[in-house]
Amino acid sequence: MAKQATGKPGEWFYCLKHKKVEEGPECPARNRLGPYPTAQAASHALERVAERNDEWDHDPRWE
């Protein structure tokens, strides 16, 4: 039996499996980024991940 997805209506996620924005508990947490406050913010999840990775890759504390 598949695990039930967790989340609440009004929380927005970006599903990595389906490559789409979802509201509430549609897919398992392992496939999602979020929660985000709006669908718009969730739609930019991959951009935010890339920005954070770049920041961390160039953080002088880790060089």
Side-chain angles (χ1 to χ4, degrees):
M1 180 182 276
K3 289 185 179 182
Q4 178 128 1
T6 58
K8 298 179 244 177
E11 290 182 325
W12 295 91
F13 299 88
Y14 183 80
C15 178
L16 297 166
K17 182 177 181 181
H18 298 111
K19 311 275 192 267
K20 68 175 189 154
V21 172
E22 301 177 343
E23 182 181 12
E26 289 189 33
C27 289
R30 70 178 176 269
N31 295 333
R32 300 182 308 197
L33 297 174
Y36 294 93
T38 65
Q40 174 83 9
S43 72
H44 295 285
L46 294 179
E47 294 166 22
R48 184 66 181 131
V49 167
E51 290 169 6
R52 286 181 177 170
N53 285 343
D54 189 55
E55 289 171 10
W56 293 334
D57 286 345
H58 298 96
D59 188 330
R61 294 175 293 177
W62 299 106
E63 291 181 353

